[in-house]
Amino acid sequence: MRKKIVAGNWKCNTNLQEGIELAKKVNTLVTSMAATDVVVVLGTPFTHLAKIVESVNTARIGIAAQNCAAEAKGAFTGEISAEMIKSTGADYVILGHSERREYYAETSEVLNRKISLAIENGLTPIYCCGEPLRIRETGTQNAFVKNQLEETICNLSPDDFRKLIIAYEPIWAIGTGKTATSEQAQEIHAFIRSVIAEKFGNEIAEDVSILYGGSCNAKNAKELFANKDVDGGLIGGASLKVEDFIQIINGF
Ligand code: 13P
């Protein structure tokens, strides 16, 4: 069944002590909330994963890495494998974030290996897609995003596809304070769902959670989440502020 999800992406922020403190504060507030059907996830730096898993109630808060290696193991100095991530107790991994595609030259081919390894190791990929401003300005965002999906997650088997979450993050909205309007978000989320339906059928398309990311905050979350095809958010800056993050969770 389609889930409502609010996932924080801390990016390269917080040292270990700050991260634990932040996670504990989120944990206190989330565990004191009445039972909710919203899945809360914290995407922390690798160095924090094991400690944060111990610091929160993992029945209420899932923990995500922000990347994984494209290889299972071996002589790849500095890489962190999907198996290593899973062994910390984390259950999710953010893959294909535009910052990684852009600054670390992650291609669809590399992403396909990462997605497969994540799934093989029991991690839920949070697969990111989304267009840059120049594409939005020419009105070709649907074709751009469709191509991203076709080169990656559309290659999965239906069983593996069911294991992932999609995050649509327009690059022009990330960290800019410029959010997609509610209409823009709904329009492209519905389009993404239609691409999935074409490939995997309606049932699977209806079940996949599609999160919105890009300057989603305490003020605009409610309006964005009210859309039929927006199943939650992938939150950057606002996930570092406990009160804002909690308000976003309460946006449902
Ligand atoms: P901001 O919420 O800071 O715009 O970042 C969004 C994002 O990149 C989440 O992955």
Side-chain angles (χ1 to χ4, degrees):
M1 210 188 71
R2 204 193 298 183
K3 290 188 183 124
K4 297 174 186 168
I5 302 166
V6 175
N9 176 7
W10 292 1
K11 308 191 179 182
C12 188
N13 292 295
T14 74
N15 65 28
L16 178 59
Q17 290 72 30
E18 291 163 346
I20 293 171
E21 199 181 314
L22 177 56
K24 281 186 174 165
K25 283 186 185 159
V26 172
N27 184 60
T28 303
L29 292 169
V30 167
T31 51
S32 66
M33 278 178 190
T36 144
D37 56 356
V38 181
V39 176
V40 177
V41 177
L42 300 179
T44 85
F46 288 131
T47 45
H48 303 16
L49 292 172
K51 279 281 185 193
I52 289 184
V53 164
E54 284 170 11
S55 308
V56 302
N57 176 351
T58 48
R60 295 293 295 272
I61 298 179
I63 304 300
Q66 300 169 19
N67 180 30
C68 74
E71 309 293 338
K73 60 162 72 176
F76 304 102
T77 303
E79 287 295 273
I80 310 283
S81 71
E83 185 186 356
M84 292 171 195
I85 294 167
K86 186 67 183 179
S87 73
T88 67
D91 286 320
Y92 299 83
V93 59
I94 299 169
L95 291 175
H97 193 283
S98 57
E99 287 152 14
R100 294 215 54 89
R101 291 183 194 251
E102 189 178 344
Y103 309 143
Y104 302 95
E106 279 191 2
T107 59
S108 295
E109 192 201 339
V110 166
L111 274 174
N112 283 333
R113 295 213 298 276
K114 294 186 176 193
I115 294 165
S116 297
L117 285 162
I119 292 174
E120 270 169 37
N121 284 283
L123 293 169
T124 298
I126 302 176
Y127 170 82
C128 304
C129 57
E131 79 286 354
L133 184 61
R134 70 187 153 78
I135 296 291
R136 174 62 66 164
E137 281 174 347
T138 55
T140 53
Q141 63 274 6
N142 285 7
F144 184 92
V145 170
K146 185 175 187 189
N147 186 53
Q148 285 182 321
L149 302 174
E150 283 180 342
E151 286 186 1
T152 54
I153 57 177
C154 284
N155 296 321
L156 292 169
S157 69
D159 275 354
D160 281 349
F161 180 85
R162 282 178 192 278
K163 296 174 186 153
L164 60 78
I165 297 164
I166 297 173
Y168 166 70
E169 299 204 309
I171 298 172
W172 46 272
I174 296 177
T176 58
K178 199 173 163 194
T179 318
T181 63
S182 183
E183 293 72 30
Q184 285 172 324
Q186 168 55 28
E187 190 184 25
I188 196 152
H189 279 230
F191 174 73
I192 291 170
R193 208 177 294 287
S194 76
V195 172
I196 302 308
E198 241 172 66
K199 169 73 191 171
F200 294 105
N202 278 334
E203 193 208 323
I204 288 182
E206 280 305 312
D207 273 0
V208 67
S209 296
I210 308 178
L211 316 184
Y212 170 80
S215 298
C216 182
N217 59 37
K219 289 205 180 79
N220 59 30
K222 205 178 184 72
E223 194 187 337
L224 286 161
F225 297 174
N227 288 297
K228 176 170 150 297
D229 289 296
V230 178
D231 306 309
L234 182 56
I235 320 296
S239 71
L240 298 166
K241 300 180 200 136
V242 183
E243 286 75 23
D244 290 25
F245 190 59
I246 297 297
Q247 242 178 292
I248 294 171
I249 298 168
N250 285 327
F252 277 110

